[in-house]
Every structure is written in C-alpha cells, then in structure tokens.
Amino acid sequence: MSMQDSIRIVPQGEIAVVELDLVGEKVNKFSTPVMMRMKDVITELSKSSYKAVIFVSKKNKIYIAGADIEEIKNLTTREQVEAAVKAGQEIMNMVEDLPMPTIAAVNGACMGGGCEFILACDYRMATEDSSTKIGLPEIQLGILPGFGGCVRMPKLMGLQASLDIILAGKSVNAKKAMKAGLVDRVVHPAILMDEATKWAKEIIAKGKGKAEKKYHPKGAVNKVLESFVGRGIVFKKAKEGVLKATSGHYPAPLKALEVIQKSYGWSDRSDALRIEREGFCELAVTDISKNLIHVFYLTEMVKKSSGVPGKDVKARDVKSLGVLGAGTMGGGIAYVAADKGIEVRMKDLNADALGKGLKHASDLWMKLLKRKSIDKYQFRQKMDKVTATTDYSGFGTLDVVVEAIVEDMGIKQKVIAECASKMRPDAIIATNTSSLSVTEMAKGHPRPEYFAGMHFFNPVNKMPLIEVIRGEKSSDETVATIFELSKKMGKMPVVVKDGPGFLVNRLLLPYMAEAAFLLQEGMEIKTVDTAYVKEFGMPMGPFALMDEVGLDVCIKVLKIFKKAFGDRVEMAPCMEALEKSGRLGKKNGKGFYSYDSEGKRLGVDETIYSALGLKAPTSPLSTKECIERGVFAMVNECSRALIEDKIVETPHEVDLAMIMGTGFPPFRGGLLKYADSVGLTYIETQMAEYAVQRNAARLRPANPLKDLAKANKKFYT
C-alpha cells in the first residue's frame, strides 16, 4: 500500500488541496500508517507558503470513517493505549496549529476520529447528501473520543449540543450539524469543491486567517446554562439521563461526562487533552469495551457475508416487494421496505384491513416528520412507494413476496400456493412465521427452492434482527437473496436452520418458562423483573416480555416446544391457570402487569397471584438464583441448538441474534460470550445444583454443555 498516494497534496495556486484516498480500502480510516502519513503531510504544509488548505475525501460517500477498530481491539495494556492516543492527539494538534486557515470539505460518513479531525480544522463545510453523517460513536464501543473530541466539540458547540452527541454516541446529518454549530456551511455534493475553493479564496482575500472556534450562546436560557452555575445543572441532568438509560452498566458515558466536566473551559490545551487521554486509557482496557468491540465485529461480519458461507452465490437485486397480510406486522414490513426505496404492494382480504396496514406505515413516517427527520416531500415520496390491493393485481412483476398472515399451517400453505400461481415462476416467497416449520410450509409452494423463512421481530420498525430460515429445499440463491434484502431494509439477518422456534424463540422460551417457575416458588414479579433489568442489564424482565409477546402466544409456543422436545420442557402449574384466566398481556391490557388505554405499562397487577391460585409472594430466592436459572437455561438450550442440532453455524450468530432479537445486554458481548466469561464449568455445576434443589429435570445440564465443561472448553475457541 502506498501511503504517499493515500494522502496527497494537490497544489491549486495559493491553496493546497489535501486528498484523502486510502489505497486498497473502500473507506478512509485512521490506522497507525495513515496517521504517520498524515503527520508527514501536516509537517510539509506547516513549512509551505500556501495561504489555505482544503481537506477532501476521494472516496464515494465516505469522508473518514474513524479510527481502525482492529488496532483498538489489540491494545491490551494501559501503556499501549496511552502511546496510541497521545500520538493521535499530537497529530490533531498539528492540524489545529497549522499557520494557514484550514477547511474540511465533508461528503459522506465522518465519524469518530474523522469528526475529531474536522474539529481540529478551522472551518467545516458539509454536503446535504443523505450519506453525510457526522458524529462521535466511540461510546458505543465502550470508550470515549480520545483525539480531542471531548475537548474541542464542547468548546465549539457548547455543552448541551456536544453532550447530546458524545454521551449517546450518535451522528447528525449536515443540516442538524450546521444548526448545532458543528459545521459552518451546507452545500449540494456536486459543488462541494467549487464552494470550498471559493470559500478559501474569500478567507484569503479578507485576511480572516484562523477561526476563533469558541461557542457564543444565543438566547437568555443558553447563556444561563453556559454560566458557571448553569453548567452544574447541565452536568447533573446529563448524569441522571445516562444512569436512567444504562442503569450504570456502561461506564463510558459517565467517564466521558467526567472528562468534559474537568476539561471544559480549558485554557491549557495539554492539560485538557491529558484528562481526556487518561479517561480513554481507563476505559479501553476494560472487558466491557472489548465486549462492545466484539459486538461491533459481529455486525461487520454480516455486512461482509452473503448468508451462504463458502460458496460464490449472487443474490438477486430486489426492487419490488409484496406483503400478504396488512396487520401490524405487515404494515411494519411495508414501512421498513418502502423507507429504503423498495416498491411495496400490500394485499389483504378487504379495504378495512389494508387501511389499517397503510395507517400503521403512515403513522411511523409521521413520527419522523414531526421530529423533522424527514420533510413533507420525503413523507409523500415514501408513502407513494406503498400501494394496496384486495386481489393479486401487480403481483406478476414482483421480485419477492413476504407472507405475514395468520399462524395456521393449512391456511398458509393454501395462500402460498395461490400466490405462487400469480407470480413469475422464479419469484421468491418468504414466510414471516415465528413458530411453524418452513420445510412443511414449503409443501404448499410448487417450486420449494424459491421458498424460505424471513422472520421479523416485533415491533418491525425497531427490532433489527431478521432470522432467514433455510428450509430443506430452499436454494442458495433464495437464501442469499433474502439475506441481502434484509440488509437492504436496514436489518441484521442471521441464517438459521429450520427447527422448532428456530433460534431466538427456542432460546427465549426456557428463560420465560423458568420465570413462571420462579413465580410458582413464591417470587414477586417486580423483584424478578427488576433484577434482570437493574442487575443483569436486560431491556425488560421475563414477565414484562411475556406481556409484550402475548401470554396466549407464549403458552401456544410452549406447547409446541413440549410436543417437539418432550420431558425436558416443563410448564409451571400457574401457566396452565394463566391460560384459563383470559389475560393476554399488553394487547388486552391485562397480564402480569396492568396497562392504560395507550398500552403503557402501569405496574404489576396485584390480583395476578390469587387469579393464578398462588399465595402472596414472599420472594424466598436470591436474585442471583433467579437470574442464573433464567440465563443459564438459555445457555443450556443453546448448547443443544448449536452443537447437536446445528441450527446456526457459529457462536457469533447466536450472540448477534440474541443481542439484535432480544436486547441481550451488548456490554456482556452476547449470550455465549457471557457464558465463556462466567465459565462453562461454573454454569454446569450451578445447573446441576438447581436441578436437585428444585427437583427440576428441565434444569439438568445438557450433554453438549457437560462435554464442554468436562474438557474445560469454551463456545468461542
């Protein structure tokens, strides 16, 4: 790789244009060799007679994607981290200290170290292209901005706007960046270099020189909040917000807040950067950061995968999609597809059902419109992508159809056969089933090689996971096409083999079923749910989750599993009573919790205990036992699914699916990463003890788990 060609100075008279174009890579990123080349370029510029410098990327829709994550991952000691961060800070200081004014001309993603780079420049121009996103996502990797971002951003934009970006690890588009003061001008991408050059000439002609880069609050409220007293209020509220959002499980946002509080208003840059560097070093060597980087790599693996490993299979480009069934799920599928520019044709039996599906999609875009994430023109443009029909008109030209009708095998097979007769012979049909056999369902399709599963999770607009289910006769091309379509829709696909509950529901069911036994043994609902959320880090406890899924659905799936897996699946007596109680959970406002008319959870319905024939709870078990029985039950079942049944190929897919499909705490790295960290011998021993103590055959360690523990092995080798 030629570093000279990766960052090059192109003279334009009295202006130097520095082109960023990392040779052999799709994106520009700050690796050590790139940083060393940048240092040489900045040194050359500092000794030159140029009167202005423009930094521009030659990559398509990428400015600088950030630092090289692989290098961060491999930093294991504090000394290594200190040296790497200090070197990066020094280069950003050199950019800031160049004698001539500098302009960052940004088109495309400008994240992490890229954002810190443009903060070190004097002026910033960005394009209005949808690919232009500017932000500091380091918090999502369990670290904080370490190349001056914690120091320069608050100084440029003020506390409130910078904390909003840094603590959430988020990015903003060009218009929002300009409103916040992160960029100075926004232009159309076609004229970026013309406008940047014109601006540089203006700066030279007017003798403006270097930019001041100091935030000047506008309005009385902002002036108060930026005062010495006001800052205290801002930091206090920010800390409360972080703790509420993370329950204290993620140290990075708290450390970033501490760093900004200590360094804000710095007069000595070196002191401020030292504070930032110390904070970065503290975080970078933690297990939490390494786990979050592991999760980052899980998502990167999906981007590079075709869904058919080891084979050169080309997915079809899907431009038009049919949706059978216009319920909440169908409307959600139509929304995520049309939102990404795919033409959608939605079919249901009558106009009322179609109206509900269209309204669901419209309501989701309306929320974006109200938040000003899209404008009225974009709203209309997206809505126009979705058309509706009560017959199969228009289905003859569709590339793929997703079936999202009632969970009944006979009805699904009949509708799939009917739909296939109205489509092109090579068109693909995918079922959104959550529990029925894809292989069995494929018998309704005249050409089962063009049939697979595409299991979305509810709510479709929020849940990132799609299980791509390979039936016995699904072709490689069909699997690859559904996998690629999932990515096109902005989702994270995981290919799974057909089997009861596929992967996620198969692992979740023992977790939810075990909660019912905890209830049977006298545990209070709130105590168990709170332990899972506050102590373990789940987004919601098992009882709240069952209410969300639907208690009738949970019981139905439990029975399916009982039929499939026999004695190892047990149903607590209280679940049988629950089936007769008429409680459905959130959807009829009555479950383990009660709900208001808007579906907001109010609190535990205290009549639930007597309704299920239980005594008043005394919570005799430790929260440690409650958590371990639920989580270890998932690990136990996973050992069978992964090793015996090979539902997925690798532990990576398990962890990605559990994080994206259930909200399993990312800071723990995923279910199997967590199991490895705890130790499989410990899990096997605890499971065996609980099985004896509670007379519970379901908790006995599975043979694959016992074999791994005996051999002192891990899921990740």
Side-chain angles (χ1 to χ4, degrees):
M1 181 191 298
S2 170
M3 276 298 127
Q4 276 71 26
D5 290 335
S6 292
I7 304 176
R8 52 187 176 264
I9 300 172
V10 180
Q12 300 284 343
E14 55 189 1
I15 299 167
V17 175
V18 178
E19 294 181 343
L20 312 171
D21 192 6
L22 189 52
V23 175
E25 298 281 351
K26 290 181 180 178
V27 302
N28 292 319
K29 58 186 175 182
F30 279 143
S31 62
T32 299
V34 172
M35 294 294 273
M36 291 304 98
R37 171 59 184 159
M38 179 64 78
K39 188 174 183 178
D40 291 342
V41 167
I42 301 303
T43 301
E44 185 179 337
L45 289 171
S46 69
K47 296 173 182 176
S48 72
S49 58
Y50 292 114
K51 293 185 178 177
V53 179
I54 299 169
F55 293 97
V56 67
S57 168
K58 301 302 286 182
K59 298 291 185 192
N60 182 37
K61 298 180 185 283
I62 293 284
Y63 189 70
I64 301 170
D68 189 330
I69 307 298
E70 187 68 25
E71 287 192 3
I72 298 172
K73 175 187 162 191
N74 293 331
L75 297 173
T76 54
T77 68
R78 192 174 177 123
E79 291 72 27
Q80 289 174 330
V81 177
E82 165 85 22
V85 176
K86 193 171 185 180
Q89 287 182 339
E90 285 172 355
I91 291 167
M92 298 305 164
N93 288 349
M94 289 174 68
V95 174
E96 189 167 57
D97 295 340
L98 278 169
M100 70 287 287
T102 53
I103 298 172
V106 180
N107 182 52
C110 179
M111 307 295 284
C115 179
E116 291 176 292
F117 176 79
I118 71 168
L119 285 168
C121 294
D122 293 298
Y123 305 97
R124 287 152 295 282
M125 175 182 281
T127 71
E128 60 195 12
D129 192 85
S130 60
S131 68
T132 300
K133 301 284 182 188
I134 307 172
L136 295 170
E138 286 87 345
I139 292 292
Q140 294 174 18
L141 297 177
I143 51 179
L144 52 76
F147 289 174
C150 290
V151 175
R152 290 188 177 95
M153 184 174 274
K155 188 183 180 190
L156 180 72
M157 295 164 51
L159 272 181
Q160 292 179 88
S162 54
L163 287 177
D164 185 45
I165 288 175
I166 294 170
L167 299 185
K170 75 179 190 182
S171 60
V172 292
N173 61 30
K175 287 181 180 176
K176 285 187 178 178
M178 188 163 84
K179 189 177 178 183
L182 179 52
V183 302
D184 306 291
R185 297 186 183 186
V186 175
V187 299
H188 190 279
I191 57 171
L192 175 64
M193 271 313 295
D194 289 343
E195 289 298 307
T197 305
K198 184 179 169 186
W199 192 15
K201 288 177 178 177
E202 281 175 18
I203 292 166
I204 295 167
K206 292 178 180 177
K208 279 187 178 180
K210 306 286 283 180
E212 181 190 16
K213 286 204 290 187
K214 186 178 179 183
Y215 176 63
H216 295 285
K218 294 174 184 176
V221 174
N222 285 332
K223 284 177 181 175
V224 169
L225 290 173
E226 286 293 324
S227 69
F228 182 76
V229 175
R231 290 177 198 173
I233 297 168
V234 172
F235 284 121
K236 182 173 180 288
K237 288 290 181 189
K239 187 173 183 179
E240 287 171 0
V242 167
L243 288 172
K244 185 179 179 183
T246 67
S247 297
H249 291 300
Y250 295 81
L254 292 171
K255 180 56 68 175
L257 193 60
E258 180 190 315
V259 164
I260 294 166
Q261 194 164 6
K262 285 181 180 177
S263 63
Y264 190 55
W266 56 276
S267 54
D268 187 317
R269 183 177 70 186
S270 61
D271 278 351
L273 291 173
R274 175 184 51 77
I275 293 166
E276 180 188 74
R277 191 164 64 246
E278 287 171 356
F280 189 101
C281 291
E282 201 173 308
L283 293 169
V285 293
T286 62
D287 288 340
I288 289 175
S289 176
K290 299 306 180 191
N291 284 341
L292 291 172
I293 289 172
H294 167 71
V295 174
F296 169 80
Y297 274 106
L298 294 180
T299 62
E300 288 298 295
M301 285 166 68
V302 171
K303 292 176 187 176
K304 295 170 184 174
S305 172
S306 68
V308 187
K311 295 183 181 178
D312 185 19
V313 181
K314 188 166 175 58
R316 299 186 208 166
D317 183 20
V318 177
K319 293 178 180 173
S320 57
L321 180 79
V323 179
L324 295 176
T328 302
M329 189 62 82
I333 294 168
Y335 163 81
V336 295
D339 195 59
K340 299 300 182 186
I342 299 168
E343 300 286 342
V344 179
R345 186 78 165 154
M346 191 158 48
K347 180 192 179 300
D348 214 311
L349 297 174
N350 55 63
D352 284 348
L354 289 169
K356 287 175 184 174
L358 290 167
K359 184 179 184 303
H360 181 60
S362 174
D363 287 348
L364 293 170
W365 279 311
M366 188 57 71
K367 285 181 183 176
L368 296 179
L369 183 62
K370 285 177 180 174
R371 290 206 304 262
K372 296 185 177 176
S373 297
I374 59 174
D375 56 32
K376 287 180 181 178
Y377 172 73
Q378 289 169 313
F379 173 84
R380 191 71 262 158
Q381 207 177 27
K382 289 173 187 292
M383 278 300 300
D384 287 346
K385 291 277 181 192
V386 185
T387 57
T389 180
T390 54
D391 56 27
Y392 285 99
S393 60
F395 272 59
T397 61
L398 297 177
D399 300 314
V400 172
V401 165
V402 178
E403 168 274 307
I405 62 172
V406 63
E407 284 284 272
D408 180 288
M409 181 63 81
I411 295 172
K412 281 182 181 286
Q413 285 180 331
K414 182 183 173 185
V415 169
I416 287 161
E418 186 179 79
C419 184
S421 71
K422 308 292 182 181
M423 298 179 70
R424 297 195 318 259
D426 66 341
I428 293 168
I429 299 178
T431 174
N432 178 50
T433 185
S434 60
S435 60
L436 300 176
S437 168
V438 170
T439 299
E440 184 66 24
M441 206 181 298
K443 291 176 182 176
H445 198 300
R447 295 168 297 281
E449 65 272 24
Y450 296 124
F451 186 79
M454 190 179 189
H455 179 209
F456 291 82
F457 286 73
N458 208 13
V460 177
N461 61 303
K462 289 183 179 176
M463 297 300 285
L465 181 69
I466 289 179
E467 286 181 316
V468 179
I469 302 120
R470 180 188 271 277
E472 283 181 11
K473 295 187 177 178
S474 304
S475 71
D476 288 343
E477 184 192 37
T478 294
V479 171
T481 299
I482 299 300
F483 192 85
E484 199 58 42
L485 172 62
S486 302
K487 289 195 278 185
K488 191 173 181 179
M489 292 166 83
K491 300 297 183 183
M492 282 285 163
V494 171
V495 176
V496 302
K497 201 167 80 172
D498 193 16
F502 313 127
L503 178 65
V504 170
N505 286 343
R506 177 169 171 178
L507 302 189
L508 259 189
L509 199 86
Y511 165 75
M512 294 191 286
E514 198 56 37
F517 280 100
L518 296 174
L519 181 64
Q520 193 76 42
E521 292 166 38
M523 288 305 296
E524 187 186 22
I525 290 165
K526 188 176 180 182
T527 300
V528 174
D529 273 1
T530 302
Y532 272 103
V533 174
K534 299 292 185 186
E535 291 181 39
F536 193 75
M538 295 292 272
M540 64 177 71
F543 295 107
L545 179 61
M546 283 191 270
D547 271 3
E548 287 283 335
V549 171
L551 300 179
D552 54 333
V553 175
C554 291
I555 292 164
K556 180 185 174 184
V557 175
L558 191 59
K559 287 180 176 179
I560 291 171
F561 277 45
K562 176 77 177 167
K563 187 177 178 182
F565 299 125
D567 291 343
R568 80 169 192 243
V569 177
E570 298 177 51
M571 186 184 286
C574 64
M575 287 296 272
E576 294 173 15
L578 187 66
E579 187 175 17
K580 299 166 188 169
S581 70
R583 292 169 183 260
L584 303 179
K586 185 177 177 179
K587 58 187 167 189
N588 76 342
K590 204 168 179 62
F592 293 110
Y593 292 84
S594 54
Y595 298 83
D596 66 15
S597 58
E598 300 293 313
K600 183 182 177 184
R601 197 187 320 141
L602 299 174
V604 174
D605 180 350
E606 296 299 336
T607 66
I608 184 78
Y609 303 104
S610 58
L612 301 184
L614 301 170
K615 294 177 182 176
T618 57
S619 293
L621 309 175
S622 68
T623 54
K624 174 178 177 286
E625 178 175 337
C626 294
I627 291 169
E628 287 189 345
R629 278 170 58 180
V631 176
F632 292 177
M634 288 195 283
V635 175
N636 202 34
E637 188 58 39
C638 188
S639 72
R640 295 185 177 106
L642 179 65
I643 297 167
E644 283 184 345
D645 299 337
K646 299 194 183 330
I647 293 296
V648 290
E649 297 287 327
T650 67
H652 300 85
E653 291 156 308
V654 173
D655 283 347
L656 182 68
M658 291 303 287
I659 290 167
M660 299 296 168
T662 74
F664 191 90
F667 72 91
R668 297 192 184 277
L671 180 68
L672 299 187
K673 194 77 171 170
Y674 166 72
D676 283 349
S677 72
V678 171
L680 301 190
T681 303
Y682 175 78
I683 293 174
E684 191 247 355
T685 303
Q686 288 297 97
M687 292 290 287
E689 284 183 16
Y690 291 139
V692 173
Q693 288 170 7
R694 308 301 167 204
N695 191 27
R698 69 187 179 279
L699 293 176
R700 288 178 192 150
N703 286 333
L705 180 62
K706 287 197 285 190
D707 292 343
L708 286 172
K710 188 178 178 181
N712 201 26
K713 288 185 176 179
K714 296 181 175 184
F715 285 107
Y716 283 90
T717 51

